[in-house]
Amino acid sequence: MSGRAWGVLFVLCGAIFLEGIDVAMLNVALPSIREDLDMSTGMLQWVMSAYVLGYGGFMLLGGRAADLFGRRQMFVFWLVVFLLFSGLGGFATEGWMLIVARFVTGVAAAFMTPAGLSIITTSFDEGPQRNKALLVYSGTAAGGFSIGLVVGGLLAAINWRWVFFAPVILSLLILVAAVVLIPKSARPQRSGQGVDLAGAVSVTGGILLLVFGVERATHVSAAWTAGTIGASLVLFLVFIAVERKSSSPLVRLGIFRNGSLVRANLAGMLFAAGFFGFQFIAVLYLQELRGWSTLQTSFALIVIGVDAVLSPTLTPKLVARFGNARVIFGGLLLAALSYALFLPVGADWTYLAMFPSLIILGLAFSLAYGPLTIVATDGIAEEEQGVAGGLLYTSFQFGAALGLSSVAAVNIAATDGTSPAALLDGYQAALVVPLVAALVAAFISAFGLRSRAGAEDAGSVPAEVPGPAERVEASR
């Protein structure tokens, strides 16, 4: 890769690192925020949920916007929005101010992230170069989350507001580098490609309601949850009907005929569900049952961040030798092994007893996350790379929401009392959820191991890319 290409990759890695560290730092600062702003537990939950709603709800629209209005333009503009509202969150004096700031920050990330990913997939030729770039990119994202756990603990110990001010400083540096290093591109040709407002409104509303319903499932009645999810499904049906008739659809329905893309999105959703669900329960176990401090917990979990080192070093070699499909399958099996090893967790486990699960999970992440990104974007036409990225990150985000709400629901149902034994029973029951999610994800990914599908997933047999006329016809 040329020096300019490495510079572009550096900027985009900085942005995904920023997104990861922003989320992780906030996780460990929540107790301090609640105490200072006098927020109830329910309101505090919305500090996280508002970001998830904005991020997951607008991701697909963000991906299409990058394709239609220019990837560099969308990336830079929404990076500025991210910077502004992250800073505003640090000045919040009321809970609702912080919630609004987090929602808009999530929306900014939803437009910025697929734009950044599509810049990579359109700047590097499909094959070894793009694979290496995507693996470095995914490793940086993981590193941001792992480092954020520790940095967030340190900043929260000074003042929780620095958890919001620190990303502003990093955002400014990335913004300057982006303006200098990311080359300007010609404005996309949009003749005959109008903005699909009906499709955008229906799918964004559907995703918002679905994520909202899943996020609130443990706090409201089953009837309320069923009604919310039912309403989201109606909007999805409206979206499909709109896309079938649109001459310039938000998402060409024919894209779902790409088996590799569908498998990557389903497996990615389940992998994210297990990964975030496991971390949620592990944090509760260490802090509620074992009485570990926020900083101790952060340092305990940072070993999962080994994937930041392995993703750009070990994973490319394994992909080159075995192909993406086999590496993904192996990563998902390792994730299942990690969760299974933690399942019999005891009330007095030493860190040495927990370590195998945590280090194996870091290895699993390095094997699964990057190759899933490659498979989800391989063989997709350049003008649809933003949509492909938006689909994948929507799957990851929805998976995270699904995993968090599922483990919380099982944990609440299985916890009978407040004694250490009762808490442990709840944690052990909830840990079954990540295990099941990883096993189902591995089952889905196994279909990519067949000779022809495996070759396509490895990138040796690119999927046929339809021309404009065929894409319009296929969407009908």
Side-chain angles (χ1 to χ4, degrees):
M1 290 189 289
S2 66
R4 182 63 175 265
W6 274 112
V8 171
L9 182 59
F10 172 79
V11 172
L12 299 174
C13 284
I16 200 67
F17 178 85
L18 170 68
E19 193 272 329
I21 201 172
D22 176 79
V23 173
M25 288 194 302
L26 181 60
N27 278 340
V28 296
L30 288 176
S32 301
I33 293 172
R34 170 162 57 184
E35 182 179 355
D36 192 30
L37 298 185
D38 193 25
M39 300 176 70
S40 66
T41 300
M43 195 172 190
L44 186 69
Q45 186 257 348
W46 272 107
V47 175
M48 292 300 297
S49 295
Y51 184 87
V52 171
L53 278 174
Y55 199 167
F58 287 86
M59 182 71 75
L60 197 53
L61 182 58
R64 186 56 176 158
D67 291 333
L68 288 177
F69 302 108
R71 299 177 177 98
R72 182 183 186 273
Q73 294 92 317
M74 287 291 99
F75 179 80
V76 170
F77 175 79
W78 288 102
L79 178 58
V80 172
V81 176
F82 188 98
L83 180 158
L84 291 175
F85 279 85
S86 182
L88 288 174
F91 288 110
T93 56
E94 300 285 344
W96 68 266
M97 296 179 184
L98 187 55
I99 291 170
V100 171
R102 291 306 294 168
F103 178 77
V104 179
T105 304
V107 172
F111 281 83
M112 184 176 70
T113 304
L117 178 61
S118 61
I119 289 173
I120 293 178
T121 55
T122 56
S123 298
F124 297 92
D125 292 334
E126 197 169 292
Q129 272 201 348
R130 183 189 292 180
N131 291 354
K132 184 176 182 179
L134 288 174
L135 291 172
V136 170
Y137 183 72
S138 62
T140 306
F145 189 83
S146 302
I147 294 171
L149 290 172
V150 176
V151 174
L154 293 171
L155 291 177
I158 301 171
N159 190 306
W160 65 265
R161 296 182 186 277
W162 277 104
V163 168
F164 295 92
F165 295 148
V168 172
I169 299 171
L170 183 57
S171 298
L172 279 171
L173 296 175
I174 296 170
L175 180 61
V176 172
V179 172
V180 173
L181 294 174
I182 298 180
K184 294 181 179 180
S185 55
R187 196 170 185 85
Q189 176 57 252
R190 297 203 308 272
S191 58
Q193 297 187 58
V195 179
D196 181 14
L197 289 177
V201 170
S202 57
V203 75
T204 301
I207 294 172
L208 281 171
L209 284 176
L210 187 59
V211 175
F212 181 68
V214 169
E215 276 285 307
R216 299 297 296 168
T218 56
H219 304 279
V220 296
S221 67
W224 191 96
T225 299
T228 305
I229 294 177
S232 76
L233 294 178
V234 170
L235 285 175
F236 283 129
L237 290 175
V238 171
F239 169 70
I240 292 172
V242 169
E243 300 307 279
R244 288 180 65 86
K245 295 181 179 180
S246 176
S247 59
S248 54
L250 181 71
V251 179
R252 180 181 62 86
L253 298 182
I255 199 173
F256 294 108
R257 294 178 183 174
N258 186 313
S260 300
L261 178 144
V262 172
R263 280 194 302 274
N265 277 270
L266 290 175
M269 179 185 71
L270 290 166
F271 178 68
F275 183 79
F276 285 97
F278 172 80
Q279 285 201 332
F280 179 75
I281 294 299
V283 168
L284 290 182
Y285 165 74
L286 292 174
Q287 293 192 6
E288 288 188 349
L289 184 62
R290 303 300 300 276
W292 289 23
S293 69
T294 298
L295 202 54
Q296 286 175 312
T297 302
S298 299
F299 277 113
L301 297 180
I302 197 174
V303 67
I304 299 175
V306 69
D307 57 322
V309 176
L310 297 179
S311 287
T313 55
L314 174 65
T315 308
K317 297 176 182 178
L318 295 176
V319 167
R321 182 169 181 179
F322 300 107
N324 285 307
R326 292 181 178 85
V327 173
I328 290 169
F329 183 69
L332 294 173
L333 287 182
L334 282 177
L337 174 62
S338 167
Y339 305 143
L341 289 175
F342 209 86
L343 202 57
V345 61
D348 56 354
W349 264 25
T350 63
Y351 183 66
L352 191 61
M354 306 174 210
F355 186 80
S357 287
L358 301 178
I359 192 72
I360 291 173
L361 184 55
L363 176 59
F365 198 101
S366 70
L367 296 183
Y369 185 72
L372 281 171
T373 306
I374 295 169
V375 171
T377 54
D378 262 0
I380 304 299
E382 180 173 332
E383 61 267 29
E384 291 185 315
Q385 283 293 327
V387 169
L391 283 169
L392 181 65
Y393 281 109
T394 297
S395 296
F396 281 142
Q397 200 65 28
F398 177 67
L402 181 64
L404 288 168
S405 62
S406 298
V407 297
V410 173
N411 180 46
I412 292 170
T415 304
D416 185 17
T418 57
S419 67
L423 292 175
L424 190 60
D425 287 342
Y427 301 145
Q428 289 176 336
L431 286 169
V432 174
V433 175
L435 176 59
V436 172
L439 290 173
V440 175
F443 174 76
I444 292 171
S445 70
F447 287 95
L449 297 176
R450 294 174 301 176
S451 57
R452 176 172 173 77
E456 290 176 358
D457 287 352
S460 57
V461 183
E464 182 178 351
V465 180
E470 289 85 349
R471 282 194 297 275
V472 172
E473 184 62 29
S475 69
R476 297 183 182 279

